[in-house]
Amino acid sequence: MDSMQTLFRPARPTDFDAVFRILRGAAKTMVAKGRQQWDEHYPAKADLQADFNLGIGYVIEENAEVVAYAAISFRGEPAYDVLEGHWLSDMPYAVVHRMAVLHAALGRGHARHIFSEVERLCREREVGSIRIDTNYDNVEMLSLVRHLGFIYCGKVYYQRGTTEKTERLAFEKRL
């Protein structure tokens, strides 16, 4: 990101299409690699619209192009209330969901940049913890969160469809 101009900011309605293309591109890459986290149905436009409606979507712009996205919420995550394991803290936390980087912008540190901004947002709000979950086969995210000092805390489950439950590995970092 040396000569590139980057900006982290809240997502705007005009970012919707670019963000959706980033999310769908990441989902297609996961499917192509045989990964189980995202697929042709998730994340859907409705998931992204909910992020935008709640005001929890954030983007990174690189030279005026949206190249990365994350949903960053301070409202909690209901699935985290029934963790199979133990969280590091009982304090309020930020949660990061639906993080993706434009394929052409991979390897430029955007995911790390998002996490550093999440830490900044936490400090501004006096929130002392960040939680995230990911799939067992999302090797890039697993490597990143471990490198950034997140600690494995257990498993959470999400309802997908009417019968299927999906398991995710849950991590927390105290600030």
Side-chain angles (χ1 to χ4, degrees):
M1 291 195 298
D2 307 326
S3 64
M4 300 271 181
Q5 293 223 342
T6 60
L7 172 68
F8 175 85
R9 63 168 175 79
R12 301 177 189 132
T14 54
D15 298 325
F16 188 90
D17 290 340
V19 169
F20 190 66
R21 279 192 301 275
I22 291 168
L23 292 175
R24 294 313 312 147
K28 286 178 184 170
T29 298
M30 285 186 185
V31 169
K33 290 181 176 181
R35 308 251 176 99
Q36 306 295 313
Q37 186 161 346
W38 292 359
D39 58 25
E40 63 275 2
H41 305 291
Y42 182 85
K45 280 191 176 182
D47 300 304
L48 184 57
Q49 192 61 59
D51 291 350
F52 275 56
N53 291 346
L54 291 169
I56 63 171
Y58 290 83
V59 299
I60 290 182
E61 271 187 24
E62 182 180 80
N63 295 331
E65 178 187 15
V66 174
V67 295
Y69 175 79
I72 303 165
S73 175
F74 292 88
R75 301 167 186 249
E77 167 53 64
Y80 291 1
D81 295 342
V82 288
L83 175 75
E84 198 175 273
H86 298 286
W87 292 112
L88 302 177
S89 69
D90 291 329
M91 63 180 67
Y93 59 91
V95 61
V96 179
H97 281 311
R98 288 175 289 289
M99 180 189 289
V101 176
L102 181 69
H103 185 77
L106 289 171
R108 296 186 195 150
H110 296 307
R112 286 175 185 265
H113 184 182
I114 288 171
F115 276 111
S116 71
E117 293 291 344
V118 173
E119 289 189 24
R120 181 184 59 77
L121 292 170
C122 284
R123 286 190 299 276
E124 286 176 1
R125 291 167 172 77
E126 297 182 359
V127 170
S129 176
I130 303 169
R131 293 180 182 175
I132 190 168
D133 64 84
T134 193
N135 206 49
Y136 71 92
D137 61 2
N138 190 339
V139 293
E140 294 86 359
M141 184 59 76
L142 288 168
S143 174
L144 179 61
V145 297
R146 288 180 174 132
H147 182 79
L148 293 176
F150 282 77
I151 304 298
Y152 174 73
C153 294
K155 296 176 183 176
V156 294
Y157 298 88
Y158 291 95
Q159 192 69 40
R160 261 230 182 122
T162 54
T163 58
E164 185 187 356
K165 276 195 170 192
T166 58
E167 175 186 285
R168 299 287 182 256
L169 306 180
F171 297 83
E172 183 173 13
K173 179 179 181 178
R174 293 188 64 174
L175 304 175

